[in-house]
Structures are given as C-alpha cells and as structure tokens.
Amino acid sequence: EVQLVESGGGLVQPAGSLRLSCAASGFTFSSSWMSWVRQAPGKGLECVATINQDGSEKYHVDSVKGRFTISRDNAKNSLYVQMSSLRAEDTAVYYCARGVGTMGDYWGQGTLVTVSS
Amino acid sequence: EIVLTQSPATLSLSPGERATLSCRASQSIRSYLAWYQQKPGQAPRLLIYDASNRATGIPDRFSGSGSGTDFTLIISSLEPEDFAFYYCHQRTNWPHTFGQGTRLEIK
C-alpha cells in the first residue's frame, strides 16, 4: 500500500525556520517525481516545489525562492523541505505528493504549518 | 506562469442532475490537465489526468475532455458524495498551477 506521511509541522514565529519531512513507503520512491503542495486556510492549492527522481532537478515557486529548499534522500525513502524566513502568508497545510497530475498521483494527509507570533 | 481560470465559482445543483465544470488556460497546455476533488479536511483526490483519463477507482459518471486551452469536467448524474470542491491543474510548465476552484453545492 502506498503511504506518504508528513511530519514536522507546527507553530513557528515569523522569520523562523522549519523542516518538513515526508516518509514514503509502498512504492519505488527513487523512481518518482515528488512535490510539496500547500493550501492556506480556506484557500486553493499551490505547488510549492518539485524534485526529480535523483534530486538533480529542483523547482520552486517564485514566492518561496531563496527561502525554501526541496530535497530528498532515496536511501531513506524521504522527501524534505527546509523552510526559512517564514512569513504569515506561508501558513498552510503542506502536502507531500507523488507525480501530481499524472497516473501515479498520490498525496499524503498533510501537515499544518502556522507562522505567528 | 500559466493561469487556470475555473467557472463557475459556485455551482448549485440537485442529486441526479448533470454538472459541467470548466477550466480555461492562459496558454496552450496541450492535454496536461488534471481534475481533483477535495472535501473539507481531506487531501485532494485525483479524478482525471491528461484531460480525459479517469484515475484508478473513479466512477464512470466522471468524464473529462478538452485540449489546448479549454477543458471540461462532466459529472453525468450527481451523487450525494459528489458535492465538494473541484480544482483543475496543469503540469506543462513550471510553476505547475491550479485553478481557483469550483464549489459544487447542493441546491
């Protein structure tokens, strides 16, 4: 059974940092594009970052460039996003997802990040 | 950035009726268009990928069509569990983007 389990969310102060993790199981993690997608409270969906199978290609949406970094460890079947200089507008549920929009699409249940003083 | 515009914003229908949701792209996205359903407190669920292919386990009352810039999701006969938010998504160019969503509510 495919599983994506996010962790690391929580309350953080503005300008603070946080690292989210996603533990993958039930499929060949090293063969999959992976992404982080977020959803602010009561709002729509936003693709934050995506990474290719071996980590050699990474893309970040402009609103997080220079502040967020996506990475992966295929030996640990894990996806990460390091978030720094956090702002109130980064408050959202962050989903780990495989192959967004493709036949292999699969999403975790999400982890909530709240940026507030 | 490719902008996806969904219409209508809200669709009010009764069970058994046909729902037609639209998604228009600001430039051609070929057929790299997906549709998602989302219910409160849940992750999005893929319904359709590559414009017209139903995802695994999706009932055949859901169908997608279109290519280029104009796409449609049709739910042929609404079931009570279909009332939710629907989003379209493109993966042609980065940043991959979602439409703003259509809320399908019970009339």
Side-chain angles (χ1 to χ4, degrees), chain B residues 25 27 36 43 45 52 61 70-71 76 81 91 100 106:
Chain B
Q27 64 188 76
Y36 288 87
R45 172 195 182 198
S52 61
R61 64 180 181 272
D70 290 302
F71 300 86
S76 59
E81 62 267 28
R91 59 184 181 89
Q100 83 282 13
I106 299 177

Side-chain angles (χ1 to χ4, degrees), chain A residues 8-67:
Chain A
L11 176 63
V12 59
Q13 292 190 338
S17 298
L18 209 57
R19 187 199 199 204
L20 304 184
S21 300
C22 172
S25 60
F27 66 100
T28 306
F29 180 73
S30 59
S31 296
S32 301
W33 277 83
M34 299 295 297
S35 301
W36 289 99
V37 179
R38 69 182 178 184
Q39 186 169 35
K43 302 297 184 182
L45 298 160
E46 180 181 39
C47 294
V48 173
T50 193
I51 187 169
N52 73 339
Q53 291 89 339
D54 65 4
S56 61
E57 293 183 53
K58 304 177 184 182
Y59 301 93
H60 300 79
V61 70
D62 282 351
S63 60
V64 308
K65 271 182 188 173
R67 301 188 300 121

Side-chain angles (χ1 to χ4, degrees), chain B residues 43-76:
Chain B
R45 172 195 182 198
L46 181 70
L47 301 174
I48 302 288
Y49 65 94
D50 293 348
S52 61
N53 297 289
R54 266 189 303 277
T56 303
I58 302 303
D60 61 7
R61 64 180 181 272
F62 291 91
S63 63
S65 63
S67 65
T69 60
D70 290 302
F71 300 86
T72 302
L73 174 70
I74 291 176
I75 311 171
S76 59

